[in-house]
Amino acid sequence: MSSKKGLHLTLKIWRQKNNKSKGQFETYKISDVSTDSSFLEMLDILNENLINDGKEPVAFDHDCREGICGMCSLYINGRAHGPDTGITTCQLHMRTFKDGETIVIEPWRSAAFPVIKDLIVDRSAFDRVMAAGGFVSVNTSGNTLDANAIPVPKEDADKAMDAAACIGCGACVASCKNGSAMLFVGAKISQFALLPQGRIEAKRRVLNMVKAMDEEGFGNCSNTGACEVECPKGISLDNIARMNREYMAAFIDKG
Amino acid sequence: MSKLDSKIPAGPLKDKWKNHKDHMNLVAPNNRDKIDIIVVGTGLAGGSAAATLAEQGYNVKAFCYQDSPRRAHSIAAQGGINAAKNYQGDGDSTYRLFYDTIKGGDYRAREANVYRLAEVSANIIDQCVAQGVPFGREYGGQLDNRSFGGVQVKRTFYAKGQTGQQLLLGAYSAMSRQIGKGRIKMYNRHEMMELVIVDGKARGIIARNLVTGELERHSAHAVVIASGGYGNVYFLSTNAMGSNVSAAWKIHKKGAYFANPCYVQIHPTCIPVHGTQQSKLTLMSESLRNSGRIWVPKKLEDAVAIREGKLRPENIKEEDRDYYLERRYPAFGNLVPRDVASRAAKERCDAGFGIENNDTKEGVYLDFSTEIMKKGKEAAIERHIHNPTEQQIYDLGKNWVEEKYGNLFQMYEKITADDPYKTPMKIYPAVHYTMGGVWVDYNLQSTIPGCFVIGEANFSDHGANRLGASALMQGLADGYFVLPYTIADYLSADIRTGAIPTNSAPFEQAEKEIKEKVDFFINNKGTHSVDHFHKKLGHIMWNKVGMGRTPEGLEEAIREIEEVRNDFWKNVRVPGDKEGMNTELEKAFRVADFLELGQLMAIDALKRNESCGGHFREDHSTPDGEAERDDVNYKYVAAWEYQGKDINQEVMHKEELIYENIEVKTRSYK
């Protein structure tokens, strides 16, 4: 048990029964939060207190709590995944906050991500964009080439890996003033565009994914770069540039 | 009469799978769209199975409790996936991977299954590369490999520290393609509540829509359970918070045998528990053991000074450090298998040498300083730097480590606020993977006809212990390459059956029972939250059914779990409504199942009077503290049959394990 003194905090949390009802902020006090706790553990304690008081706990999305599943979200003090950079909310620790602080907690803010309850939003639009082309059209029979028959330059493989590291959490959309999903889509387009396996249907892929992205109601990119700043996995804006190049080439080719 | 027929095909080991495939019944392509299949869970096993079955032309309905199949917990696997490719020319082969896995599994797995796993492992890599999984590469464009605990070849393929993520996204991509074509109907934020059996066959499920709270009936000609492991019985584990045993436990209660529940893998390299507010443990990839040396102080007074914050580990002299794995296991050193490394850490901490400043005094060091200097010297030579300074060597070495493990080091620093480049990481074992699960035959079918179980949810091909980088291998092997063949054999009898109606009595009954439970939870005016009971269970499990087990402790655990379970059903409080989203209600159903399974785990552990892989009985150990297996009396799979509410009444069936191709030996890593 840590002997450090716990934090006393005021929390302003968005409460909303479902996607049809109107939401509002509620204020809660919480004390003795260990600075070694994660942000979500702090919310666990709050929820335990609420249940003991006969109230409904705050609903929030979370799962692996290791920064990799992309399930957690939360807008904390006006920033996606909170004040620290390069991490998801589950990896945000309470030592980042000061005793006596007021923390404002909201769900992802974007028309394409409607609120389901409290702090939980519906991100299934991402799945639908993926279903439009986020794959290599190869059957999973196992009757493919030997893996080493497709050599890939290390630099390309590394860059593809950097793009593929996207966890689909939606922080990019939530941080963008236009609600654009171009960092997410650009990352997937880049991963496949950089690899020989994905090159063959690259044009078809980018046209289909961009079309699906627009249909879901995501906005356009205006190069503000907020998405890159708030991305927990450091996905670079270069991916948006690559997607635009791929799109232009495919579009001209199609026209 | 026991229903345990393993259905292992006849013939020589290396031809069994091929012969079996050649003789199984098929469903012709034009008949496949007359068949519906339900897949519960969308991790590596479920996702790959759903994608492949849909490609083949079956109608697939896939279910996951998360908001997207991309979030299944397979995503968190870090280190890599094994395959017998022998790309490194260091003597690897199908046989050697088979042998290492059987040995690593403490000779408690089926020869035929493990051989098949090793055989298809090479296809997995080919398949994933074809899908665009960005594995690590050499400068020449070829795939790179690393080595893992328990083996002496380099056969592990990796994508940085995010291998599970990339493999899962590969399976999710393949699924997405089929979802886009309408071949898979995906049910996100849905949980399986019950299996429906019609005329003795699995014919559907009752699912709960977690957003609306509605109960839904879904029918199919076969049901595939791919719901992962049950490590969250312990409350604190490396599993995702939502990972649960419910799907597997529900089918157990409907007649599927549950095998070897006591086999739980304790992973040696996790970040130690920080305090009572902790919800979750975080793994540091096992691949770090390639470069890190594990130690505790040699002197008791140094350990005390470290715990009190009066001494820094960097200031303890080399000769005052106890590199206990290198001392005890010179042949494998820091790369001994997970169960051996975990127990050795516990032994040192129990003896008072633990270094963490908390109430448990648990924790050992994983130190990279030797590797940083070694790699720094190598890099200096490569760069023709003559007479480099200590600082130059350190900087070059740090760069090397950063490139290899950077994301893990960053993750560690975010969680602990310690810089692992400067000071050793603090690690301690934690519950990770479960080797027990639903008993299945060679075709991956449970004792319920038409109910198949794949991946971590079945009792697995790994036996008592599981080596690193093999869970990903099993998940994908089952889903891509085994189940799609074996399920066809079963379904070939169903091409004239037609769609299964959902208005039959078994569906009515199953839905009614779930409705009653929902009403009970919502209306019970209890005093304590679901987590309160889950934490109590976890505490008992970790202390008495954890790394070291004694008959007395297990008997106490069985009694105590039963008390907690009775208390739960009297005093649990679930706030909110049954309509709409209710996360506490979701948890209540899962914890109810954990409480039953926990008790069975303790019963199974008590019954197995030997030490074996992930099951260590302190009363069955050698004088120097090593595990003592009993092959004469316990070389079997324990498969438990449910007998109604009282878990103590479960009946154990034995599947004797027969080894024809390898000699059963004492597992030694000295």
Side-chain angles (χ1 to χ4, degrees), chain B residues 67-286:
Chain B
D67 74 328
S68 163
R70 69 173 296 141
R71 316 227 189 267
H73 193 56
S74 312
I75 205 153
Q78 296 167 344
I81 177 166
N82 285 338
K85 280 284 203 182
N86 196 28
Y87 281 162
Q88 305 301 333
D90 53 4
D92 203 8
S93 64
T94 300
Y95 181 83
R96 203 176 281 275
L97 175 52
F98 154 72
Y99 180 82
D100 285 343
T101 308
I102 286 275
K103 177 187 169 197
D106 237 335
Y107 305 92
R108 293 293 179 266
R110 280 193 203 125
E111 270 191 343
N113 285 51
V114 176
Y115 193 88
R116 174 174 67 186
L117 178 66
E119 195 178 338
V120 303
S121 66
N123 291 33
I124 298 174
I125 304 304
D126 299 342
Q127 184 63 53
C128 294
V129 166
Q131 285 170 346
V133 171
F135 283 117
R137 299 265 169 177
E138 298 278 8
Y139 281 101
Q142 309 281 284
L143 291 149
D144 191 20
N145 292 113
R146 50 169 70 139
S147 61
F148 251 61
V151 298
Q152 289 172 314
V153 293
K154 279 167 78 170
R155 63 160 73 101
T156 307
F157 293 79
Y158 66 93
K160 274 201 174 164
Q162 290 122 285
T163 315
Q165 177 195 31
Q166 292 310 314
L167 296 173
L168 183 75
L169 292 182
Y172 164 66
S173 294
M175 274 185 90
S176 295
R177 180 170 164 239
Q178 300 304 320
I179 293 169
K181 288 173 192 278
R183 306 287 322 140
I184 296 178
K185 180 103 180 66
M186 185 65 224
Y187 294 87
N188 297 340
R189 292 197 195 268
H190 273 67
E191 186 143 25
M192 170 181 154
M193 306 301 286
E194 190 58 282
L195 179 76
V196 180
I197 296 178
V198 181
D199 297 331
K201 290 177 177 173
R203 289 301 198 190
I205 64 169
I206 305 295
R208 186 166 173 272
N209 179 328
L210 301 180
V211 176
T212 64
E214 279 165 282
L215 295 180
E216 301 171 359
R217 300 176 190 184
H218 295 276
S219 67
H221 297 86
V223 175
V224 180
I225 304 293
S227 53
Y230 51 85
N232 272 341
V233 168
Y234 291 82
F235 187 75
L236 286 181
S237 83
T238 65
N239 288 346
M241 298 292 284
S243 291
N244 64 83
V245 77
S246 286
W249 193 251
K250 295 295 192 250
I251 70 166
H252 172 58
K253 288 170 83 168
K254 285 265 164 134
Y257 293 0
F258 205 99
N260 298 333
C262 76
Y263 289 156
V264 175
Q265 181 191 91
I266 316 277
H267 195 290
T269 55
C270 301
I271 301 176
V273 174
H274 62 66
T276 49
Q277 295 181 353
Q278 190 135 0
S279 64
K280 171 72 183 33
L281 295 172
T282 302
L283 188 77
M284 288 281 103
S285 169
E286 188 177 25

Side-chain angles (χ1 to χ4, degrees), chain A residues 37 51 63 127 140 142 146 197, chain B residues 52 127 129 172 241 277 573:
Chain A
S37 290
I51 295 168
D63 206 12
D127 285 333
T140 60
D146 180 82
Q197 306 91 303
Chain B
T52 306
Q127 184 63 53
V129 166
Y172 164 66
M241 298 292 284
Q277 295 181 353
R573 171 186 289 183

Side-chain angles (χ1 to χ4, degrees), chain A residues 54-148:
Chain A
K55 295 181 184 139
E56 252 205 87
V58 180
F60 62 96
D61 257 335
H62 64 100
D63 206 12
C64 80
R65 298 204 177 186
E66 291 185 23
I68 193 77
C69 78
M71 188 96 169
C72 63
S73 46
L74 301 190
Y75 230 68
I76 300 161
N77 288 342
R79 291 185 64 183
H81 294 303
D84 213 343
T85 53
I87 51 166
T88 52
T89 298
C90 64
Q91 305 242 279
L92 178 66
H93 276 66
M94 295 312 293
R95 66 180 77 91
T96 318
F97 298 90
K98 286 194 265 325
D99 192 32
E101 208 174 325
T102 297
I103 306 175
V104 182
I105 311 170
E106 301 163 78
W108 274 175
R109 297 185 289 196
S110 171
F113 291 161
V115 171
I116 293 175
K117 182 176 183 174
D118 295 343
L119 302 170
I120 295 180
V121 300
D122 179 357
R123 285 170 285 194
S124 55
F126 272 9
D127 285 333
R128 291 187 291 273
V129 173
M130 281 293 288
F135 46 78
V136 174
S137 296
V138 59
N139 277 354
T140 60
S141 60
N143 300 314
T144 53
L145 291 176
D146 180 82
N148 262 347

Side-chain angles (χ1 to χ4, degrees), chain A residues 14-86:
Chain A
W14 185 257
R15 301 300 306 259
Q16 186 173 337
K17 196 168 170 53
N18 54 45
N19 66 347
K20 290 189 186 74
S21 62
K22 247 180 98 176
Q24 76 286 324
F25 279 103
E26 298 279 348
T27 305
Y28 304 95
K29 296 267 184 201
I30 186 167
S31 47
D32 287 326
V33 177
S34 158
T35 49
D36 287 334
S37 290
S38 72
F39 196 84
L40 300 184
E41 284 165 354
M42 184 275 292
L43 288 178
D44 291 341
I45 300 165
L46 173 74
N47 278 346
E48 188 73 21
N49 295 345
L50 288 174
I51 295 168
N52 289 339
D53 292 347
K55 295 181 184 139
E56 252 205 87
V58 180
F60 62 96
D61 257 335
H62 64 100
D63 206 12
C64 80
R65 298 204 177 186
E66 291 185 23
I68 193 77
C69 78
M71 188 96 169
C72 63
S73 46
L74 301 190
Y75 230 68
I76 300 161
N77 288 342
R79 291 185 64 183
H81 294 303
D84 213 343
T85 53

